[in-house]
């Protein structure tokens, strides 16, 4: 079985937003299948030459990422001169085109992406990759030295392959569970797989094609009409620019990414909520309230704001309601072990939308406003630059085409991430002004 490609599309290095992409060579109607990839043409741990061994030893290859079997398959196939997958893998010569922030220097990441959440995510990734390689992969390779060689299959190559999977792999969605099955028993996500041809398509939030999974094949389907000459875009999901840069090494130009977001760390809300407290009793009350809020939130929680309002409205609503309680209200709340009846989710969502935010209680608006202000400071623009002024430097760069053209690709992408997030926070401050 071979991949079937319609004559109305072609892969091109010209006329696309990246190094290459897919173009429509004729008008394409909604619903048309652009290409079909049979299951045997997918590269994963079940279609590699070492699949039997990986299946036999799978219990020793478990890790938090769930990627080790595919990574071992790629390590083997990428360095084997006899690999059936050599024509596909040879498209990525030493993976030099990968430019994820994990390949930037730490100084460059911390300087260009401070406050965006990317440096922290990359530091976590690199620590996890090294731990996984040392604790799981290396002992397995030593045990099977006839197939893998630590001198060839190094941590450096392993890290590049992790980025390769991040940028180019696909994960098949889980099948819908029956209602009568235990909802608490969540299945682990399907492992990633490499999908030749589908990985040629670039992403935009306003995409015009989508990958569909069937028992025998994967199909790229047109989801809205594509005029002749336009690029065919897939979607990688609802991804903010910081996520696109972190996972794929690119960004959408501002303001085209409708899925862009800015995170407000919950710790910033705590800092604002405890500022200016005079009495020990008031401080004790606030500490007890915050302790209860933390029990309701995940570790290192953040409140996520998109272009239309808060995306974690239930969590923010809970935090504000508890933090703004009087001592009597909080005492009653503890005695009742929470609220007697659930809040209306739809009303909460509306209250924390851009339309609803200006109508919130003054005490709630103040906390949101000051927390957004504090978060803007984290981008490293200087303590004195608050609110409107915190965005001015990046806005000037965005509007100066000559200055923008003079930036490196990394500087431009970092600017897109920073500016998009700052504008969301700035808008939030405007909506919550007293």
């Amino acid at each position: 079985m071979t991949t079937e490609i319609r004559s109305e599309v072609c892969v091109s290095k010209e006329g696309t937003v990246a190094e290459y992409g897919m173009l429509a060579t004729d008008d394409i109607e909604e619903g048309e299948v652009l290409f079909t990839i049979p299951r045997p043409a997918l590269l994963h741990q079940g279609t590699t030459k070492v699949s039997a061994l990986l299946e036999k030893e799978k219990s020793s290859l478990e890790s938090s990422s769930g990627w080790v079997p595919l990574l071992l398959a790629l390590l083997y196939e990428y360095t084997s001169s006899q690999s059936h997958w050599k024509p596909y893998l040879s498209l990525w010569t030493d993976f030099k085109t990968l430019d994820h922030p994990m390949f930037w220097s730490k100084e460059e990441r911390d300087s260009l992406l401070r406050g965006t959440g990317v440096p922290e995510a990359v530091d976590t990734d690199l620590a996890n990759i090294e731990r996984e390689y040392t604790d799981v992969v290396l002992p397995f390779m030593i045990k099977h030295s006839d197939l893998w060689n630590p001198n060839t299959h190094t941590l450096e190559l392993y890290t590049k392959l992790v980025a390769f999977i991040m940028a180019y792999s696909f994960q098949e969605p889980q099948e819908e569970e029956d209602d009568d099955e235990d909802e608490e028993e969540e299945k682990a996500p399907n492992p990633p797989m490499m999908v030749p041809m589908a990985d040629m398509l670039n992403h935009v939030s306003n995409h015009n094609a989508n990958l569909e999974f069937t028992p025998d094949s994967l199909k790229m389907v047109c989801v809205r009409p594509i005029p002749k000459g336009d690029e065919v875009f897939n979607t990688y999901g609802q991804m903010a620019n910081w996520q696109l840069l972190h996972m794929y090494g690119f960004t959408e130009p501002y303001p085209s990414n409708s899925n862009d977001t800015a995170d407000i760390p919950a710790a910033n809300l705590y800092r604002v909520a405890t500022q200016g407290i005079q009495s020990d009793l008031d401080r004790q009350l606030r500490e007890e309230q915050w302790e209860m809020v933390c029990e309701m939130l995940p570790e290192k929680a953040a409140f996520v704001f998109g272009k239309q309002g808060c995306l974690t409205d239930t969590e923010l609503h809970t935090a504000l309601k508890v933090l703004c309680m009087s001592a009597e209200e909080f005492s009653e709340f503890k005695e009742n072990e929470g609220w007697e009846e659930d809040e209306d989710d739809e009303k909460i969502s509306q209250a924390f939308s851009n339309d609803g935010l200006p109508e919130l209680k003054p005490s709630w608006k103040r906390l949101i406003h000051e927390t957004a202000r504090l978060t803007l400071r984290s981008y490293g623009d200087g303590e004195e630059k608050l609110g409107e002024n915190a965005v001015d430097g990046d806005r000037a760069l965005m509007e100066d085409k000559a200055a923008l053209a003079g930036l490196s690709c990394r500087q431009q992408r970092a600017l897109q991430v920073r500016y998009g997030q700052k504008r969301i926070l700035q808008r939030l401050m405007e909506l919550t002004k007293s």
Side-chain angles (χ1 to χ4, degrees), residues 99-114:
D99 195 32
H100 297 60
M102 67 166 62
F103 301 119
W104 305 8
S105 69
K106 181 170 176 55
E107 292 72 24
E108 195 170 16
R109 282 197 303 272
D110 291 346
S111 169
L112 294 176
L113 294 166
R114 180 179 171 185

Side-chain angles (χ1 to χ4, degrees), residues 238-273:
Q238 294 184 337
M239 310 285 284
N241 263 350
W242 79 266
Q243 294 169 311
L244 289 173
L245 184 60
H246 169 223
M247 294 288 291
Y248 301 94
F250 74 93
T251 56
E252 285 193 60
Y254 180 86
S256 62
N257 189 350
S258 59
N259 298 314
D260 215 2
T261 62
D263 287 8
I264 292 183
N268 284 1
L269 178 61
Y270 169 76
R271 286 178 61 187
V272 170

Side-chain angles (χ1 to χ4, degrees), residues 281-294:
L281 277 176
D282 287 344
R283 179 165 294 280
Q284 182 181 347
L285 171 62
R286 189 53 49 86
E287 295 291 349
E288 288 181 17
Q289 289 171 332
W290 183 250
E291 189 176 329
M292 181 165 286
V293 168
C294 289

Side-chain angles (χ1 to χ4, degrees), residues 164-183:
F164 178 55
I165 292 175
M166 289 169 77
Y168 292 104
S169 71
F170 293 79
Q171 277 184 290
E172 187 165 1
Q174 287 284 11
E175 292 183 11
E176 292 291 331
E177 296 288 343
D178 294 333
D179 292 338
D180 57 349
E181 291 191 25
D182 188 354
E183 293 183 6

Side-chain angles (χ1 to χ4, degrees), residues 52-63 68-69 135-136 140 143:
L53 176 61
L54 295 175
E55 176 63 25
K56 179 183 175 183
E57 300 275 0
K58 65 180 180 182
S59 62
S60 67
L61 301 178
E62 293 178 356
S63 69
V68 169
D135 296 347
V136 182
F140 183 84
K143 182 180 177 182

